[in-house]
Amino acid sequence: MPIIDPSYFEYTFLCRAAGLLGVLLYVIGFFCLSTGRLDSNRPTYFVLVLTAASLVMISLTSDFNLSAALIQGFYISMSIGAILLRLRAWRRAARAVDGVRDPAVSY
């Protein structure tokens, strides 16, 4: 009779719980964006999507699915890009308020 390693079940459970939390964050983020509680011009929504996608990606280490991994990778990369774009725009706006010219922008 084979011995079953209980740590495997703990790992699988934690991975599945992370995936469910990620799905919950996706739903909350989309709901808040749809109802106007979150603004897509601020990085908050994309941080939420990045966290959700990362949690779902963690769950895929237990039950791998290539299609799901590809879409989560897309969400992670697009969220990071969106966060960086918004932070850069925020920094430019702050410099403009301070009267400092941004060398990357032609005036």
Side-chain angles (χ1 to χ4, degrees):
M1 181 163 165
I3 298 174
I4 299 174
D5 184 14
S7 64
Y8 170 77
F9 293 107
E10 292 171 10
Y11 175 76
T12 303
F13 174 78
L14 291 175
C15 286
R16 288 180 180 168
L20 289 174
L21 181 59
V23 169
L24 181 65
L25 288 178
Y26 272 133
V27 171
I28 289 171
F30 187 71
F31 175 79
C32 290
L33 184 67
S34 299
T35 58
R37 291 187 172 107
L38 277 178
D39 183 10
S40 65
N41 291 326
R42 302 186 52 91
T44 309
Y45 172 71
F46 297 100
V47 169
L48 192 63
V49 170
L50 175 65
T51 305
S54 298
L55 287 169
V56 172
M57 190 69 93
I58 288 170
S59 75
L60 293 175
T61 62
S62 174
D63 297 318
F64 186 74
N65 179 329
L66 180 60
S67 300
L70 290 173
I71 195 70
Q72 298 313 313
F74 172 77
Y75 277 129
I76 289 170
S77 61
M78 293 305 292
S79 294
I80 290 171
I83 291 166
L84 293 176
L85 284 173
R86 277 143 184 86
L87 290 178
R88 187 168 58 176
W90 180 53
R91 194 175 315 146
R92 281 186 184 162
R95 286 182 183 160
V97 169
D98 293 340
V100 176
R101 298 186 100 192
D102 189 351
V105 177
S106 61
Y107 293 95

